[in-house]
């Protein structure tokens, strides 16, 4: 059925449900699991009234974000539920979450993407956007969305 399943997670309660489902599907189909956390880059633009940080502080912040991201995906790999599975813990640094998910799926030759959706509607969806919707409309592999 599936050879390699990518699960996008941010460590939230909602995404943990997607992780649980992805682990169950990987076990059923004998697939490898790729656990992905997309880590943003530190904003470099200057806003009026904003305080510019020195490059060393920016590097420190980005390093902390990457370490947190790595901890999130390592927790998936080390979870008791994932025992017996081959799990790759991957972080991607990008400000475009949906593009990073799709690119990682392509890079690791995944044949399914599993992710959660907050299910926002109306003005909240318009203002906050929907990374899930972007993945659904631009991915060339099937996407399983869990609410």
């Amino acid at each position: 059925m599936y050879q390699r399943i990518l699960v996008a997670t941010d460590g939230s309660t909602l995404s943990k449900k997607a992780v649980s489902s992805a682990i169950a599907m990987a076990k059923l189909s004998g697939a490898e699991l790729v656990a992905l956390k997309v880590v943003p880059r530190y904003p470099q633009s200057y806003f009026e009234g904003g305080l510019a940080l020195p490059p060393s502080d920016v590097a420190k912040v980005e390093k902390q974000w990457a370490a947190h991201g790595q901890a999130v995906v390592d927790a998936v790999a080390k979870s008791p539920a994932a025992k017996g599975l081959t799990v790759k813990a991957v972080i991607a640094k990008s400000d475009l979450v949906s593009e990073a998910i799709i690119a990682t799926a392509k890079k690791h030759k995944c044949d399914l993407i599993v992710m959660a959706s907050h299910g926002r509607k109306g003005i909240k969806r318009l203002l906050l956007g929907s990374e899930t919707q972007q993945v659904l409309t631009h991915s060339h592999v099937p996407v399983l969305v869990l609410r």
Side-chain angles (χ1 to χ4, degrees), residues 58-131:
V58 169
K60 185 192 286 187
V61 169
E62 287 183 334
K63 187 176 178 180
Q64 288 173 340
W65 289 349
H68 176 263
Q70 192 65 50
V72 168
V73 292
D74 285 346
V76 173
K78 294 175 183 174
S79 73
K83 192 171 186 171
L85 287 178
T86 301
V87 182
K88 289 183 183 176
V90 178
I91 62 166
K93 292 181 181 180
S94 177
D95 293 324
L96 303 170
V97 175
S98 58
E99 287 183 15
I101 291 170
I102 293 168
T104 302
K106 185 176 183 178
K107 178 181 176 182
H108 291 277
K109 298 182 174 108
C110 297
D111 44 14
L112 177 68
I113 298 171
V114 178
M115 59 190 304
S117 174
H118 288 93
R120 292 185 182 103
K121 294 181 182 175
I123 194 75
K124 284 185 181 179
R125 181 167 178 229
L126 181 65
L127 293 174
L128 299 174
S130 173
E131 296 299 335

Side-chain angles (χ1 to χ4, degrees), residues 2-87:
Y2 297 112
Q3 302 292 319
R4 199 165 290 112
I5 299 171
L6 182 140
V7 61
T9 182
D10 61 6
S12 68
T13 302
L14 184 61
S15 70
K16 286 178 183 177
K17 291 179 182 180
V19 168
S20 295
S21 294
I23 288 171
M25 289 187 72
K27 284 185 173 183
L28 284 172
S29 61
E32 291 180 24
L33 190 66
V34 177
L36 171 68
K37 168 77 167 101
V38 180
V39 179
R41 297 184 189 279
Y42 191 85
Q44 297 293 325
S45 61
Y46 174 79
F47 296 101
E48 188 174 330
L51 195 61
L53 290 178
S56 61
D57 288 349
V58 169
K60 185 192 286 187
V61 169
E62 287 183 334
K63 187 176 178 180
Q64 288 173 340
W65 289 349
H68 176 263
Q70 192 65 50
V72 168
V73 292
D74 285 346
V76 173
K78 294 175 183 174
S79 73
K83 192 171 186 171
L85 287 178
T86 301
V87 182

